[in-house]
Amino acid sequence: GQQLNQSPQSMFIQEGEDVSMNCTSSSIFNTWLWYKQDPGEGPVLLIALYKAGELTSNGRLTAQFGITRKDSFLNISASIPSDVGIYFCAGQLFGANSKLTFGKGITLSVRP
Amino acid sequence: DTAVSQTPKYLVTQMGNDKSIKCEQNLGHDTMYWYKQDSKKFLKIMFSYNNKELIINETVPNRFSPKSPDKAHLNLHINSLELGDSAVYFCASRASGSTDTQYFGPGTRLTVL
Protein backbone atom coordinates (compact mmCIF):
# COMPACT_ATOMS: atom_id res chain seq x y z
CA GLY A 1 0.00 0.00 0.00
CA GLN A 2 0.92 3.65 -0.15
CA GLN A 3 3.32 4.93 2.45
CA LEU A 4 4.41 8.40 3.37
CA ASN A 5 7.86 8.99 4.75
CA GLN A 6 8.59 11.71 7.25
CA SER A 7 11.93 12.06 8.94
CA PRO A 8 13.49 12.66 11.30
CA GLN A 9 11.08 11.49 13.98
CA SER A 10 11.95 14.47 16.19
CA MET A 11 13.35 17.94 15.62
CA PHE A 12 14.69 20.40 18.15
CA ILE A 13 15.04 24.06 17.29
CA GLN A 14 15.61 27.37 19.02
CA GLU A 15 12.79 29.90 19.26
CA GLY A 16 13.00 32.27 16.32
CA GLU A 17 14.57 29.74 13.96
CA ASP A 18 13.01 28.52 10.75
CA VAL A 19 12.37 24.82 10.24
CA SER A 20 11.52 22.77 7.18
CA MET A 21 9.88 19.33 7.07
CA ASN A 22 9.70 17.01 4.11
CA CYS A 23 7.27 14.29 3.21
CA THR A 24 7.79 11.80 0.41
CA SER A 25 5.63 9.10 -1.05
CA SER A 26 6.15 5.98 -3.12
CA SER A 27 3.14 6.92 -5.25
CA ILE A 28 1.32 10.05 -6.34
CA PHE A 29 -1.45 11.88 -4.54
CA ASN A 30 -3.97 14.41 -5.77
CA THR A 31 -4.01 16.34 -2.52
CA TRP A 32 -1.36 16.95 0.11
CA LEU A 33 -2.27 18.06 3.59
CA TRP A 34 -0.35 19.14 6.65
CA TYR A 35 -1.83 18.64 10.11
CA LYS A 36 -0.60 19.59 13.56
CA GLN A 37 -1.48 17.64 16.68
CA ASP A 38 -1.18 19.17 20.14
CA PRO A 39 -0.97 16.86 23.16
CA GLY A 40 -4.37 15.41 24.06
CA GLU A 41 -6.02 16.83 20.96
CA GLY A 42 -6.95 15.68 17.49
CA PRO A 43 -4.99 16.69 14.39
CA VAL A 44 -5.82 20.16 13.11
CA LEU A 45 -5.48 21.05 9.44
CA LEU A 46 -2.77 23.62 8.76
CA ILE A 47 -2.51 23.76 4.97
CA ALA A 48 -4.12 21.89 2.08
CA LEU A 49 -2.50 21.69 -1.38
CA TYR A 50 -4.44 20.67 -4.46
CA LYS A 51 -2.19 21.21 -7.48
CA ALA A 52 1.30 20.04 -8.35
CA GLY A 53 3.74 22.90 -7.84
CA GLU A 54 1.30 24.84 -5.65
CA LEU A 55 2.88 26.99 -2.96
CA THR A 56 0.54 28.07 -0.17
CA SER A 57 1.08 30.14 2.95
CA ASN A 58 -0.84 30.36 6.19
CA GLY A 59 0.75 32.96 8.45
CA ARG A 60 4.26 31.77 9.28
CA LEU A 61 3.63 28.46 7.54
CA THR A 62 4.42 27.77 3.91
CA ALA A 63 3.86 24.48 2.16
CA GLN A 64 4.47 23.23 -1.36
CA PHE A 65 3.01 20.40 -3.42
CA GLY A 66 5.89 18.76 -5.27
CA ILE A 67 5.94 18.76 -9.07
CA THR A 68 6.12 14.97 -9.18
CA ARG A 69 3.05 14.77 -6.86
CA LYS A 70 5.09 12.44 -4.68
CA ASP A 71 6.34 14.92 -2.13
CA SER A 72 5.57 18.03 -0.14
CA PHE A 73 7.36 20.26 2.31
CA LEU A 74 6.23 22.46 5.17
CA ASN A 75 8.26 25.43 6.34
CA ILE A 76 7.71 27.23 9.63
CA SER A 77 9.40 30.60 9.93
CA ALA A 78 10.36 32.44 13.11
CA SER A 79 9.27 29.58 15.36
CA ILE A 80 7.56 30.28 18.68
CA PRO A 81 7.00 28.02 21.69
CA SER A 82 3.40 27.21 20.68
CA ASP A 83 4.68 25.61 17.47
CA VAL A 84 5.53 22.58 19.61
CA GLY A 85 3.59 19.53 18.55
CA ILE A 86 3.47 16.67 16.09
CA TYR A 87 3.33 17.59 12.41
CA PHE A 88 1.76 15.07 10.08
CA CYS A 89 1.72 15.09 6.33
CA ALA A 90 -1.13 13.28 4.62
CA GLY A 91 -1.92 12.38 1.05
CA GLN A 92 -5.33 11.92 -0.49
CA LEU A 93 -6.64 10.73 -3.83
CA PHE A 94 -9.82 12.10 -5.41
CA GLY A 95 -13.16 10.36 -5.04
CA ALA A 96 -15.91 9.84 -2.49
CA ASN A 97 -14.11 6.77 -1.21
CA SER A 98 -10.82 8.53 -0.79
CA LYS A 99 -8.95 8.18 2.45
CA LEU A 100 -6.06 9.99 4.03
CA THR A 101 -2.73 8.23 4.21
CA PHE A 102 -0.66 9.74 6.99
CA GLY A 103 3.06 9.99 7.51
CA LYS A 104 4.43 8.94 10.89
CA GLY A 105 4.72 12.52 12.04
CA ILE A 106 7.56 14.72 13.23
CA THR A 107 7.62 15.87 16.84
CA LEU A 108 8.83 19.45 16.98
CA SER A 109 10.35 20.93 20.13
CA VAL A 110 11.10 24.63 20.39
CA ARG A 111 13.60 25.83 22.98
CA PRO A 112 12.83 29.29 24.36
CA ASP B 1 -20.05 25.05 18.73
CA THR B 2 -17.85 21.97 18.66
CA ALA B 3 -17.52 20.65 15.11
CA VAL B 4 -16.62 17.01 15.73
CA SER B 5 -17.18 15.68 19.24
CA GLN B 6 -16.44 12.32 20.80
CA THR B 7 -17.49 10.67 24.04
CA PRO B 8 -16.01 9.58 26.27
CA LYS B 9 -12.66 11.38 26.30
CA TYR B 10 -11.09 8.59 28.37
CA LEU B 11 -12.13 4.98 28.70
CA VAL B 12 -10.45 2.48 31.00
CA THR B 13 -11.75 -1.07 30.96
CA GLN B 14 -10.86 -4.69 31.56
CA MET B 15 -9.85 -7.15 28.89
CA GLY B 16 -12.82 -9.04 27.50
CA ASN B 17 -15.34 -6.25 28.04
CA ASP B 18 -17.46 -4.64 25.33
CA LYS B 19 -17.41 -0.87 24.96
CA SER B 20 -18.67 1.86 22.65
CA ILE B 21 -17.31 5.23 21.59
CA LYS B 22 -19.64 7.85 20.16
CA CYS B 23 -18.97 10.53 17.56
CA GLU B 24 -21.11 13.39 16.38
CA GLN B 25 -20.43 16.13 13.84
CA ASN B 26 -22.46 19.30 13.35
CA LEU B 27 -20.77 20.35 10.13
CA GLY B 28 -23.33 18.83 7.80
CA HIS B 29 -20.67 16.52 6.34
CA ASP B 30 -21.56 13.38 4.43
CA THR B 31 -18.56 11.25 5.27
CA MET B 32 -17.25 10.17 8.65
CA TYR B 33 -14.20 8.17 9.66
CA TRP B 34 -12.63 6.30 12.53
CA TYR B 35 -8.86 6.32 12.98
CA LYS B 36 -6.63 4.54 15.46
CA GLN B 37 -3.47 6.21 16.78
CA ASP B 38 -1.03 3.83 18.39
CA SER B 39 1.56 4.49 21.06
CA LYS B 40 4.04 5.61 18.38
CA LYS B 41 1.52 8.22 17.22
CA PHE B 42 0.92 6.48 13.89
CA LEU B 43 -2.55 7.36 12.54
CA LYS B 44 -4.30 4.63 10.62
CA ILE B 45 -7.75 4.67 9.12
CA MET B 46 -10.16 1.98 10.29
CA PHE B 47 -13.55 2.76 8.75
CA SER B 48 -15.34 5.30 6.65
CA TYR B 49 -19.07 5.87 6.19
CA ASN B 50 -20.70 7.99 3.50
CA ASN B 51 -24.34 8.86 4.10
CA LYS B 52 -24.66 5.99 6.58
CA GLU B 53 -23.12 3.49 4.18
CA LEU B 54 -19.82 1.73 4.91
CA ILE B 55 -17.31 2.59 2.17
CA ILE B 56 -13.94 1.82 3.74
CA ASN B 57 -13.07 -1.10 5.99
CA GLU B 58 -9.35 -1.41 6.47
CA THR B 59 -8.96 -5.03 7.54
CA VAL B 60 -9.97 -4.27 11.07
CA PRO B 61 -10.85 -7.29 13.29
CA ASN B 62 -14.56 -7.96 13.26
CA ARG B 63 -14.65 -7.29 17.00
CA PHE B 64 -14.86 -3.67 15.84
CA SER B 65 -18.27 -2.71 14.50
CA PRO B 66 -19.06 0.82 13.40
CA LYS B 67 -22.65 1.99 13.34
CA SER B 68 -24.02 5.11 11.71
CA PRO B 69 -27.61 5.82 12.83
CA ASP B 70 -27.65 9.00 10.74
CA LYS B 71 -25.30 11.20 8.74
CA ALA B 72 -24.18 13.16 11.78
CA HIS B 73 -23.24 10.20 13.96
CA LEU B 74 -20.73 7.39 13.68
CA ASN B 75 -20.29 5.15 16.71
CA LEU B 76 -17.68 2.48 17.25
CA HIS B 77 -18.49 -0.64 19.22
CA ILE B 78 -15.70 -2.96 20.30
CA ASN B 79 -16.36 -6.49 21.54
CA SER B 80 -14.07 -8.64 23.66
CA LEU B 81 -11.48 -5.94 24.20
CA GLU B 82 -7.83 -6.95 24.03
CA LEU B 83 -4.71 -5.31 25.42
CA GLY B 84 -3.63 -4.35 21.92
CA ASP B 85 -6.77 -2.28 21.47
CA SER B 86 -5.33 0.33 23.81
CA ALA B 87 -4.86 3.44 21.70
CA VAL B 88 -6.37 6.82 20.97
CA TYR B 89 -9.35 6.61 18.60
CA PHE B 90 -10.18 9.62 16.47
CA CYS B 91 -13.36 10.35 14.64
CA ALA B 92 -13.24 12.66 11.61
CA SER B 93 -15.67 14.02 9.07
CA ARG B 94 -15.53 15.47 5.57
CA ALA B 95 -17.89 16.98 3.04
CA SER B 96 -18.29 15.15 -0.27
CA GLY B 97 -16.38 17.36 -2.64
CA SER B 98 -13.08 16.04 -3.93
CA THR B 99 -11.15 18.92 -2.43
CA ASP B 100 -12.85 18.84 0.94
CA THR B 101 -10.63 18.01 3.84
CA GLN B 102 -11.12 16.05 7.02
CA TYR B 103 -11.79 17.55 10.43
CA PHE B 104 -10.87 15.52 13.48
CA GLY B 105 -12.49 15.10 16.85
CA PRO B 106 -10.51 15.41 20.11
CA GLY B 107 -9.97 11.67 20.44
CA THR B 108 -10.90 8.95 22.92
CA ARG B 109 -8.05 7.40 24.85
CA LEU B 110 -8.89 3.73 25.41
CA THR B 111 -6.88 1.79 27.97
CA VAL B 112 -7.46 -1.94 28.26
CA LEU B 113 -6.15 -3.50 31.47
Side-chain angles (χ1 to χ4, degrees):
Chain A
Q2 294 167 316
Q3 291 186 341
L4 296 186
N5 301 306
Q6 285 185 266
S7 65
Q9 195 173 350
S10 302
M11 299 180 80
F12 299 85
I13 61 173
Q14 200 73 33
E15 183 177 358
E17 288 182 343
D18 299 348
V19 62
S20 190
M21 304 176 189
N22 264 7
C23 186
T24 60
S25 169
S26 56
S27 53
I28 65 172
F29 286 103
N30 300 124
T31 302
W32 282 88
L33 303 149
W34 285 91
Y35 284 86
K36 182 192 177 201
Q37 185 177 19
D38 290 328
E41 303 292 332
V44 173
L45 181 67
L46 298 175
I47 291 182
L49 303 156
Y50 302 108
K51 287 172 57 175
E54 179 181 354
L55 183 72
T56 297
S57 293
N58 178 6
R60 294 179 295 106
L61 309 177
T62 302
Q64 184 155 32
F65 190 145
I67 293 289
T68 64
R69 296 164 69 193
K70 290 185 178 182
D71 64 318
S72 176
F73 78 76
L74 173 71
N75 190 70
I76 305 173
S77 62
S79 58
I80 59 178
S82 61
D83 290 335
V84 164
I86 305 176
Y87 290 80
F88 291 98
C89 64
Q92 183 173 319
L93 296 172
F94 288 149
N97 295 353
S98 68
K99 60 180 182 180
L100 286 181
T101 300
F102 279 88
K104 292 190 175 180
I106 293 175
T107 299
L108 179 67
S109 299
V110 179
R111 288 187 291 260
Chain B
D1 60 346
T2 305
V4 182
S5 59
Q6 294 178 230
T7 53
K9 176 85 170 165
Y10 301 96
L11 185 52
V12 181
T13 188
Q14 298 286 336
M15 217 164 46
N17 283 350
D18 303 338
K19 289 293 178 187
S20 291
I21 308 171
K22 296 187 176 182
C23 178
E24 176 181 2
Q25 53 95 4
N26 61 8
L27 298 166
H29 289 169
D30 298 316
T31 306
M32 296 184 72
Y33 305 81
W34 277 109
Y35 287 83
K36 180 180 180 181
Q37 187 173 46
D38 61 24
S39 58
K40 295 184 179 178
K41 306 300 182 185
F42 184 53
L43 271 164
K44 193 172 189 315
I45 190 167
M46 300 173 69
F47 299 103
S48 173
Y49 269 72
N50 181 266
N51 279 318
K52 303 195 298 175
E53 182 184 341
L54 179 67
I55 57 173
I56 295 175
N57 183 341
E58 287 285 305
T59 59
V60 177
N62 57 15
R63 296 182 296 104
F64 291 79
S65 52
K67 282 189 173 53
S68 182
D70 55 59
K71 227 171 59 161
H73 296 84
L74 181 62
N75 304 322
L76 184 64
H77 189 76
I78 315 170
N79 288 329
S80 304
L81 279 155
E82 300 177 357
L83 294 176
D85 297 332
S86 295
V88 182
Y89 292 84
F90 288 100
C91 176
S93 74
R94 185 176 82 96
S96 296
S98 61
T99 58
D100 291 309
T101 51
Q102 292 184 27
Y103 294 86
F104 284 79
T108 296
R109 180 174 291 278
L110 171 65
T111 303
V112 182
L113 303 174

